[in-house]
Amino acid sequence: MSLYAIITSPWRGGELIKEIKASELDSKKFIAEKVEEIKKTVGKGLAINALSGGVDSSTVTMLGHEALGDRLRTVFVDHGLMREGEPQRVVNVFKRLGVKVELVDSKQQFFNALKGIEDPEQKREAITRTFYRDVFGKIVRDTGAKYLMHGTILTDVDETVAGIKRQHNILTQIGIDTEKEFGYQVLEPLIQLRKDGVRKVSKALGLPEEIYNRMPFLGPALAGRVIGEVTPERIAVVRAATVIVEEELAKSGAFQYMAILHKDKVTGMRNGKRDFGQQIEIRCWDSLDARTATPSNLPFSALQRIADRTTREVPGVVSVTYNVTPKPPSTMEAV
Ligand code: XMP
């Protein structure tokens, strides 16, 4: 078996996936082997790939297109949990790269699935089910595709299998038989890599810097940044706060930064009157591969600017805090 074998079968009783460290990675060789394997596995059939616009799924999209050309259909699921302007931005980037992206509007399905759920793991499970069983299950039934390619990386597997956090894209490794339950096999060509390795492959594939150096973003999207129930209204609050944090910290050089909406309200005041309002927590991380992370030592003035803008520009927010706890014991996302 090739060193870079695609892992398509289940977790196989705990057999370890062989990690390829970024420092040992020969990107050209990796790409050539993966393209061959994808061709061999899919044969003359059709495959679907799930694009979110992050570096992992973008890299899979380009690998898949190199291997399959028109026999790969690239789908962007608009679950309504995205950052401001994200769906159109992703479609446009890939249009420039000559890749057609199909936008699937699944907003209602996701908000229905998330209704009333507060527990973080149940939330993550609802998102996985909606993505893989409902949305992609229907697409493969409608198209006759037998394979779904997605950008799972080793860090996603580690945390899920260790029981820390169920990453939205982990299926076979926790015993889900995707063929039986959803009607397709999953292909995970990046599963031996971590984020720094994916960035190398992405660059070697000719993706633009705005993709290969893109800040990581989680599959459950803004639902992972809402503590408590996810509703369109609460997503709108965290989305507006995210715009501010991303603008203000764009030049920070940090690995990842985010806004989180808390569940509890706190007493604030505005114009001399009581204002019982929402709390936003800011997190900004220095990290190499997301396995461990430390809070960035941001200038206090940068934090003050974020607090000032957030309380002025996001209706209902009266408190902004900054998390100074490393991972571990924190994790990077709150949910
Ligand atoms: P945590 O919160 O586990 O995050 O410390 C580590 C890194 O993984 C990202 N993350 C996810 N990515 N699906 C993903 O594709 C997920 O379900 C998921 N949860 C967390 C997170 O943004 C960080 O970069």
Side-chain angles (χ1 to χ4, degrees):
M1 190 173 79
S2 139
L3 176 68
Y4 298 156
I6 295 175
I7 305 217
T8 56
S9 53
W11 182 237
R12 291 181 294 191
E15 186 188 321
L16 283 182
I17 298 166
K18 174 135 181 44
E19 176 174 356
I20 304 170
K21 292 202 163 60
S23 56
E24 295 158 5
L25 173 70
D26 176 341
S27 301
K28 286 226 157 70
K29 180 167 167 251
F30 179 89
I31 292 166
E33 288 202 20
K34 286 298 166 199
V35 166
E36 262 326 291
E37 285 173 12
I38 294 165
K39 277 186 184 163
K40 221 190 253 165
T41 309
V42 178
K44 297 218 178 315
L46 192 72
I48 305 290
N49 92 290
L51 173 68
S52 70
V55 61
D56 306 337
S57 68
S58 298
T59 303
V60 167
T61 301
M62 296 317 276
L63 271 179
H65 276 276
E66 215 160 301
L68 304 173
D70 286 349
R71 287 184 298 114
L72 181 68
R73 287 177 64 172
T74 296
V75 173
F76 181 101
V77 176
D78 183 358
H79 41 38
L81 310 168
M82 282 288 165
R83 286 172 293 184
E84 191 69 42
E86 190 89 338
Q88 213 44 58
R89 202 196 63 80
V90 175
V91 171
N92 291 343
V93 168
F94 279 85
K95 199 172 174 188
R96 288 204 298 276
L97 294 167
V99 174
K100 187 169 161 264
V101 180
E102 293 173 40
L103 253 183
V104 176
D105 182 351
S106 310
K107 295 189 197 81
Q108 209 48 55
Q109 260 170 301
F110 277 87
F111 281 117
N112 288 346
L114 287 163
K115 206 171 167 50
I117 300 179
E118 298 206 353
D119 176 78
E121 288 297 287
Q122 282 179 17
K123 220 185 263 182
R124 285 174 167 271
E125 200 191 334
I127 289 171
T128 298
R129 231 184 14 246
T130 311
F131 253 120
Y132 293 101
R133 187 193 64 196
D134 304 343
V135 177
F136 286 116
K138 178 171 183 333
I139 295 171
V140 297
R141 275 197 306 280
D142 290 350
T143 59
K146 294 271 183 294
Y147 297 93
L148 176 80
M149 292 178 65
H150 64 181
T152 317
I153 63 171
L154 197 47
T155 317
D156 303 337
V157 180
D158 284 348
E159 290 199 356
T160 306
V161 172
I164 296 165
K165 194 175 273 198
R166 178 193 176 126
Q167 307 277 306
H168 83 289
N169 46 0
I170 298 302
L171 306 166
T172 59
Q173 295 86 359
I174 52 171
I176 297 176
D177 182 339
T178 59
E179 187 133 41
K180 205 163 109 204
E181 294 191 34
F182 314 142
Y184 54 80
Q185 276 188 43
V186 295
L187 302 182
E188 300 174 309
L190 307 181
I191 202 142
Q192 292 165 275
L193 305 179
R194 298 195 187 270
K195 196 63 90 183
D196 43 351
V198 181
R199 291 199 205 281
K200 269 178 83 172
V201 173
S202 175
K203 193 172 176 186
L205 278 164
L207 280 154
E209 186 171 359
E210 68 177 298
I211 296 282
Y212 70 74
N213 263 344
R214 194 150 195 240
M215 179 167 66
F217 189 62
L218 66 173
L222 296 175
R225 296 184 180 168
V226 167
I227 301 175
E229 190 183 6
V230 176
T231 61
E233 296 73 26
R234 303 194 78 220
I235 287 289
V237 173
V238 82
R239 182 181 286 129
T242 301
V243 170
I244 296 168
V245 172
E246 292 195 353
E247 280 175 10
E248 294 296 333
L249 298 181
K251 294 198 174 73
S252 65
F255 179 87
Q256 198 171 8
Y257 32 90
M258 59 194 71
I260 292 156
L261 175 63
H262 277 233
K263 182 181 164 190
D264 291 335
K265 287 182 155 188
V266 289
T267 303
M269 58 184 288
R270 240 181 253 276
N271 304 324
K273 288 211 175 88
R274 174 187 165 89
D275 186 357
F276 192 53
Q278 316 246 41
Q279 302 187 71
I280 289 286
E281 176 187 332
I282 308 301
R283 294 184 179 192
C284 179
W285 299 108
D286 293 334
S287 179
L288 186 65
D289 56 17
R291 279 192 288 181
T292 58
T294 48
S296 303
N297 188 3
L298 294 174
F300 196 67
S301 57
L303 294 169
Q304 282 177 311
R305 219 170 24 248
I306 294 173
D308 180 51
R309 283 192 59 190
T310 306
T311 48
R312 273 190 298 112
E313 296 173 29
V314 187
V317 176
V318 296
S319 167
V320 177
T321 57
Y322 184 56
N323 186 315
V324 291
T325 319
K327 171 184 179 175
S330 181
T331 60
M332 295 173 78
E333 308 284 353
V335 167

